[in-house]
Amino acid sequence: MAARPAARGGGERRPRGVNKGRRAGPRRSGKRGAGGGGGGSGGAQLTRTGILRMALGGGAADPLLPAEGGGERRAPFVLRALRIALVVCLYWFTSITMVFLNKYLLDSPSLRLDAPLFVTFFQCAMTAALCVGLSLGAACGPRCAGLPALRLDLKVSRSVLPLSVVFIGMVTSNNLCLKHVGVAFYNVGRSLTTVFNVLLSYLLLKQTTSLYALLACGVIIGGFWLGIDQEGAEGTLSWTGIFFGILASLCVSLNAIYTKKVLPVVDGSIWHLTFYNNVNACVLFFPLMMMLGEFHTLYHFDKLGNPTFWGMMTLGGVFGFAIGYVTGLQIKFTSPLTHNVSGTAKACAQTVLAVIYFEETKSFLWWTSNLMVLGGSFAYTWVKGLEMRKVEEDPNIKSSERNETGV
């Protein structure tokens, strides 16, 4: 009996109730810390939110994003609010500008360039080049010392290859959808990502979804079909664009699932994964461009030597690289849930801007379809946010149920 206190640390004997009360506090806060920082068993599960936390809280793995620390907690409320507002505005500006810029490159009457794969290839090449260029900044001074050195490892490249194939399908189908539909309808055309998230998480990961989340998906599907009906009524429907929009939605969901599997290969670093993904994509795009005759199209393109054209192409590549950074920045300063809400609001603003810029006139039912898609997406985000909060607050919940909230 005398050995029992010594085994606990050799301190003075305390009543059992005191010991239990002192243990309960740290144990509760430890679980919250693991959920918020991606450490412990929560980080090992690699849910989608976990991936973002690995990417944004990984220290040297992702040095371009500001590190968390006590300084941020001591910042005044006004300063923090202003910083969050600036980050959200930066995300909106970058995302909306990239969509309009890609629309110009893919389907501009003044440009008349029918080479969507080449445009996508150039953006991937720019992203890979910017990754290498920024990593070389590690030798430039103290500010850049934290940037990781990138070197091409063929073994790692082969391991990332399955994800790269899905990544190519995602970026290519996104651009092909944008080429064949208007910017105003672009959000509706590829709105089924949430639906595919639910479907694939059940088929591949055996994860179920709550009734309220399924109802939100039903609203999204209803808005999608109403949007197709209204585009057809206005004579602007493109079934090719709809096909690529559905394919883009599927590829976005598959990309999230394969990212979970491939991240350990690059030690959880989104920085390295971006580099390998885009290098692989550049290699795989060459045979695709040859098969579709895009090299022949480029040879006869009358603006191939025009500096303005290459300036717009370069700008598109820079924005394509920047969107990944500002997305991470917005999640860093807010949360993954707030990022989804911001993305939904941004899509609404993008639709309104497109209608104004292209001087289009839309019917009441067309706007209703957009509101259904946006409302369903917001409702799904809200429901999943409540479920995630419930999981974090309940220490007795099963690990399988914890995984379900990551979809």
Side-chain angles (χ1 to χ4, degrees):
M1 297 296 292
R4 191 172 291 174
R8 289 179 180 173
E12 59 179 345
R13 187 188 299 269
R14 296 184 182 91
R16 288 187 178 181
V18 175
N19 271 341
K20 288 182 180 179
R22 290 188 180 181
R23 281 181 188 171
R27 202 177 276 177
R28 212 176 284 123
S29 62
K31 286 192 177 183
R32 288 179 183 172
S41 62
Q45 292 171 353
L46 282 181
T47 61
R48 181 170 304 157
T49 304
I51 291 172
L52 294 172
R53 286 171 179 161
M54 287 174 64
L56 305 177
D62 296 281
L64 286 181
L65 297 172
E68 291 180 343
E72 184 177 344
R73 294 177 184 174
R74 290 191 296 267
F77 171 78
V78 175
L79 180 60
R80 284 186 284 118
L82 180 61
R83 184 167 55 185
I84 290 173
L86 289 174
V87 168
V88 171
C89 290
L90 180 62
Y91 168 75
W92 281 38
F93 171 77
T94 305
S95 180
I96 293 176
T97 303
M98 187 184 68
V99 170
F100 278 86
L101 188 57
N102 279 345
K103 182 63 177 177
Y104 169 78
L105 293 171
L106 293 165
D107 192 38
S108 172
S110 61
L111 199 60
R112 298 192 305 277
L113 175 62
D114 188 19
L117 291 185
F118 171 72
V119 173
T120 312
F121 159 78
F122 188 85
Q123 292 175 351
C124 291
M126 279 289 300
T127 299
L130 287 170
C131 285
V132 174
L134 289 174
S135 70
L136 293 177
C140 294
R143 290 185 178 180
C144 301
L147 289 171
L150 294 176
R151 64 181 185 87
L152 187 61
D153 187 331
L154 294 180
K155 184 178 179 181
V156 175
S157 182
R158 285 195 299 269
S159 300
V160 178
L161 190 59
L163 175 62
S164 299
V165 173
V166 177
F167 173 74
I168 286 178
M170 180 180 70
V171 294
T172 303
S173 53
N174 267 321
N175 280 350
L176 287 172
C177 175
L178 184 58
K179 175 180 174 64
H180 291 95
V181 304
V183 176
F185 188 70
Y186 179 59
N187 177 61
V188 175
R190 48 188 294 276
S191 62
L192 297 182
T193 300
T194 301
V195 178
F196 280 117
N197 284 345
V198 172
L199 182 63
L200 292 177
S201 65
Y202 178 75
L203 294 177
L204 302 180
L205 306 177
K206 306 303 179 185
Q207 295 175 4
T208 57
T209 305
S210 67
L211 176 62
Y212 290 114
L214 290 176
L215 289 176
C217 291
V219 174
I220 294 174
I221 294 173
F224 175 76
W225 283 113
L226 180 60
I228 291 177
D229 176 74
Q230 291 304 300
E231 284 285 302
E234 296 181 4
T236 56
L237 177 64
S238 168
W239 283 107
T240 303
I242 295 298
F243 169 77
F244 283 115
I246 296 174
L247 183 61
S249 301
L250 174 61
C251 289
V252 169
S253 298
L254 286 173
N255 186 73
I257 293 174
Y258 276 96
T259 297
K260 296 180 184 181
K261 298 181 179 180
V262 173
L263 261 176
V265 176
V266 291
D267 298 324
S269 172
I270 295 293
W271 178 257
H272 286 86
L273 187 61
T274 299
F275 170 70
Y276 279 105
N277 241 349
N278 284 276
V279 168
N280 286 346
C282 289
V283 175
L284 294 174
F285 267 125
F286 266 94
L288 292 175
M289 289 190 293
M290 290 183 65
M291 285 189 296
L292 296 177
E294 291 202 358
F295 288 113
H296 181 267
T297 302
L298 290 171
Y299 181 77
H300 292 91
F301 182 52
D302 58 349
K303 295 182 177 62
L304 194 61
N306 191 331
T308 303
F309 165 71
W310 288 109
M312 296 296 285
M313 288 286 289
T314 303
L315 195 60
V318 171
F319 272 91
F321 172 81
I323 188 61
Y325 172 65
V326 297
T327 297
L329 201 64
Q330 179 169 247
I331 296 170
K332 181 74 174 183
F333 284 107
T334 59
S335 68
L337 179 63
T338 306
H339 166 69
N340 288 338
V341 174
S342 174
T344 303
K346 187 272 305 179
C348 180
Q350 177 178 294
T351 300
V352 173
L353 285 174
V355 170
I356 294 173
Y357 179 79
F358 292 105
E359 298 179 350
E360 299 173 344
T361 302
K362 301 296 183 182
S363 66
F364 173 77
L365 288 178
W366 187 93
W367 286 108
T368 302
S369 70
N370 276 266
L371 290 176
M372 288 178 67
V373 167
L374 295 173
S377 300
F378 176 80
Y380 180 86
T381 301
W382 181 65
V383 168
K384 301 306 288 187
L386 291 179
E387 292 175 359
M388 290 175 67
R389 184 177 301 175
K390 181 180 178 182
V391 167
E392 291 177 356
E393 292 177 353
D394 189 354
N396 298 319
I397 199 163
K398 296 179 181 179
S399 61
S400 60
E401 295 177 4
R402 290 178 181 270
N403 279 340
E404 289 176 14
T405 61
V407 176

